[in-house]
Amino acid sequence: GGTSAGRASTSRNDNKGTSKNALAMSLPVVLMESHATRKRRKKAQSWYRRNWKFILLLSSLLAVFRYMDDFSVVDIKDKYPAGLHKDYANIDGLPDLTSEFVEPWCFYGKKGKCSCKDPMEAESRLFKSYWAKAHQFNKKQALEKGKSADVLFLGDSVMEGWNGKSYGHSSPRVHDVPAIFKKLFTRDGGGQWEGLALGISGDTSPNLLWRIQNGELPTTHTPSIIWLLIGTNDFGNTWCSAEIVVIGILRVVEELRLRIPDSTIVVNGLLPRTFNRKGYVARGRKRGMIRRASPAMPSLWDDIEAVNDELKRYCQNHEKVEYFETKVFFKDASVDEDHLKIDKKLMADFLHPTAKGYKLWGEDMNTTLSKLIPRP
């Protein structure tokens, strides 16, 4: 009995020892640290308590510097300058226009984000309900108001904004724009001619090509002018290269020339746009504090200029095609490129015109229209 009791006592002591070891292993490291380590930790804590204001100030300054414009930053476009590898200014119709062998297809540095489609092929977005609704609205407008339209405006969100809409729905951003359109481009509002704007937000050149092939052109009347603005989403949404953007725009122009040969087509050069937080067009945007929410973005300006230069040369070499470009959205169009800046009052998001921006742009358009449309 005594032996058994001794063994039981020994077993209990072993279990207690094991329990103590297990407890020690599960304790936080801070409870097991040596005297020297504890002394260093307390010293560090004391330093942080004394200097927390300085640390907070330094962290805030670093955060601010991340958002500041740094003219020494090398943009990826400095390494890969914009340009076209082929001359499209003298093409003779669709047979001369092709996207075959174009390289690069995607915007430099954006290959992983590139969803650029073949600019020679029409593409719908009927799988998006808002797009299908907007397309049906445009078809109805083309059928009813197209009968008397002198000027037909075709494009993306910027053209859709003339109707006070975005993605087929009324938008507060362009709430006041229809009144401006009525004043500038309708006879009832005091304008010299009758205009009709057909646009859908987010559209690329292949999307617009599909739309004009599927009912968004007047069938019983030929407008004197077709005013075209398309291509910016081919850059900013699907990340196409400048050459693909040019091909896409000219594909739409050639389609219009075939379908309505008696109309004069005005090709509106791509409007300025930028991702830069201060509105500088020749500079990109540095990565923000939260990478996914605010990733680094390149400047599109060199590519926009390359596209516009080619469009201008194309228009100069073809009959019944005119080129138009406006400078009204710049704060000061006379400064050098490094300081060229979009006026936030005219383009709040540096992409879409405000009501004031629409007014100035529309007045600029009217000056050109008055030269193209003969007086009655």
Side-chain angles (χ1 to χ4, degrees), residues 84-158:
L84 308 179
H85 297 88
K86 183 180 175 181
D87 182 14
Y88 298 90
N90 296 295
I91 62 169
D92 186 18
L94 283 177
D96 282 356
L97 193 62
T98 178
S99 57
E100 213 174 351
F101 309 118
V102 172
E103 184 63 35
W105 189 278
C106 296
F107 193 91
Y108 282 115
K110 288 292 182 179
K111 193 170 184 179
K113 298 285 186 181
C114 179
S115 57
C116 189
K117 305 297 183 182
D118 187 343
M120 297 297 294
E121 300 296 329
E123 183 185 38
S124 80
R125 292 197 289 161
L126 287 172
F127 58 91
K128 294 181 180 290
S129 59
Y130 76 82
W131 195 88
K133 179 182 177 181
H135 172 57
Q136 290 302 319
F137 172 81
N138 287 351
K139 282 178 65 175
K140 185 177 179 181
Q141 292 286 93
L143 185 64
E144 296 175 357
K145 294 187 177 181
K147 297 175 182 178
S148 58
D150 300 307
V151 186
L152 177 63
F153 299 96
L154 295 174
D156 48 34
S157 58
V158 178

Side-chain angles (χ1 to χ4, degrees), residues 27 41 56 124 156 221 225 231 235 267 288 290 295 310 355 375:
L27 287 173
R41 176 174 54 78
L56 181 62
S124 80
D156 48 34
H221 171 72
I225 305 290
F235 275 135
V267 180
I290 303 174
E310 191 70 2
R375 299 269 181 175

Side-chain angles (χ1 to χ4, degrees), residues 263-282:
S263 296
T264 296
I265 301 168
V266 178
V267 180
N268 199 126
L270 297 183
L271 300 183
R273 63 173 297 177
T274 183
F275 297 108
N276 183 268
R277 294 180 179 87
K278 293 186 177 181
Y280 292 103
V281 293

Side-chain angles (χ1 to χ4, degrees), residues 51-343:
N51 298 283
W52 68 270
K53 291 183 179 179
F54 171 76
I55 296 170
L56 181 62
L57 177 62
L58 183 62
S59 300
S60 300
L61 287 174
L62 289 173
V64 170
F65 287 143
R66 293 180 73 92
Y67 285 91
M68 288 181 66
D69 289 295
D70 178 7
F71 282 88
S72 66
V73 174
V74 178
D75 193 279
I76 190 168
K77 298 304 294 177
D78 294 328
K79 300 177 183 177
Y80 305 101
L84 308 179
H85 297 88
K86 183 180 175 181
D87 182 14
Y88 298 90
N90 296 295
I91 62 169
D92 186 18
L94 283 177
D96 282 356
L97 193 62
T98 178
S99 57
E100 213 174 351
F101 309 118
V102 172
E103 184 63 35
W105 189 278
C106 296
F107 193 91
Y108 282 115
K110 288 292 182 179
K111 193 170 184 179
K113 298 285 186 181
C114 179
S115 57
C116 189
K117 305 297 183 182
D118 187 343
M120 297 297 294
E121 300 296 329
E123 183 185 38
S124 80
R125 292 197 289 161
L126 287 172
F127 58 91
K128 294 181 180 290
S129 59
Y130 76 82
W131 195 88
K133 179 182 177 181
H135 172 57
Q136 290 302 319
F137 172 81
N138 287 351
K139 282 178 65 175
K140 185 177 179 181
Q141 292 286 93
L143 185 64
E144 296 175 357
K145 294 187 177 181
K147 297 175 182 178
S148 58
D150 300 307
V151 186
L152 177 63
F153 299 96
L154 295 174
D156 48 34
S157 58
V158 178
M159 287 305 187
E160 188 178 22
W162 282 118
N163 295 319
K165 294 177 177 289
S166 178
Y167 295 104
H169 302 282
S170 297
S171 171
R173 177 176 57 81
V174 286
H175 178 267
D176 299 325
V177 177
I180 298 170
F181 184 87
K182 182 176 181 180
K183 184 176 180 180
L184 292 173
F185 302 118
T186 69
R187 292 190 178 88
D188 287 345
Q192 300 178 50
W193 27 73
E194 203 67 34
L196 174 63
L198 304 178
I200 302 182
S201 297
D203 266 8
T204 60
S205 296
N207 299 145
L208 178 56
L209 179 62
W210 189 93
R211 284 164 45 202
I212 63 179
Q213 290 176 348
N214 289 273
E216 288 195 30
L217 288 179
T219 55
T220 59
H221 171 72
T222 299
S224 298
I225 305 290
I226 298 178
W227 196 289
L228 177 68
L229 175 61
I230 196 69
T232 193
N233 292 316
D234 300 66
F235 275 135
N237 286 9
T238 55
W239 292 107
C240 301
S241 67
E243 191 148 359
I244 291 295
V245 174
V246 167
I247 295 171
I249 297 170
L250 294 183
R251 175 68 182 88
V252 173
V253 173
E254 291 294 337
E255 184 76 17
L256 290 171
R257 294 183 75 200
L258 286 173
R259 288 177 175 268
I260 314 182
D262 294 330
S263 296
T264 296
I265 301 168
V266 178
V267 180
N268 199 126
L270 297 183
L271 300 183
R273 63 173 297 177
T274 183
F275 297 108
N276 183 268
R277 294 180 179 87
K278 293 186 177 181
Y280 292 103
V281 293
R283 303 203 52 246
R285 183 182 73 196
K286 296 179 68 177
R287 181 172 63 85
M289 295 291 288
I290 303 174
R291 182 176 296 184
R292 287 190 177 183
S294 183
M297 299 295 277
S299 166
L300 301 176
W301 186 240
D302 287 346
D303 298 84
I304 288 174
E305 286 197 306
V307 169
N308 286 348
D309 286 347
E310 191 70 2
L311 294 177
K312 184 176 182 179
R313 293 177 63 247
Y314 169 90
C315 293
Q316 290 171 342
N317 293 323
H318 292 79
E319 293 183 359
K320 297 187 75 65
V321 186
E322 301 290 334
Y323 179 74
F324 171 87
E325 189 171 337
T326 186
K327 304 291 185 183
V328 299
F329 295 106
F330 294 119
K331 208 168 185 67
D332 182 358
S334 65
V335 300
D336 62 85
E337 191 175 77
D338 282 342
H339 297 89
L340 194 59
K341 188 177 183 181
I342 296 173
D343 191 334

Side-chain angles (χ1 to χ4, degrees), residues 322-374:
E322 301 290 334
Y323 179 74
F324 171 87
E325 189 171 337
T326 186
K327 304 291 185 183
V328 299
F329 295 106
F330 294 119
K331 208 168 185 67
D332 182 358
S334 65
V335 300
D336 62 85
E337 191 175 77
D338 282 342
H339 297 89
L340 194 59
K341 188 177 183 181
I342 296 173
D343 191 334
K344 197 173 179 68
K345 294 178 181 178
L346 305 179
M347 266 189 181
D349 60 356
F350 304 130
L351 175 61
H352 300 95
T354 60
K356 186 177 180 181
Y358 270 106
K359 182 176 182 295
L360 293 177
W361 178 40
E363 290 171 350
D364 208 7
M365 295 162 85
N366 260 341
T367 301
T368 296
L369 287 172
S370 64
K371 300 174 184 176
L372 297 175
I373 300 178

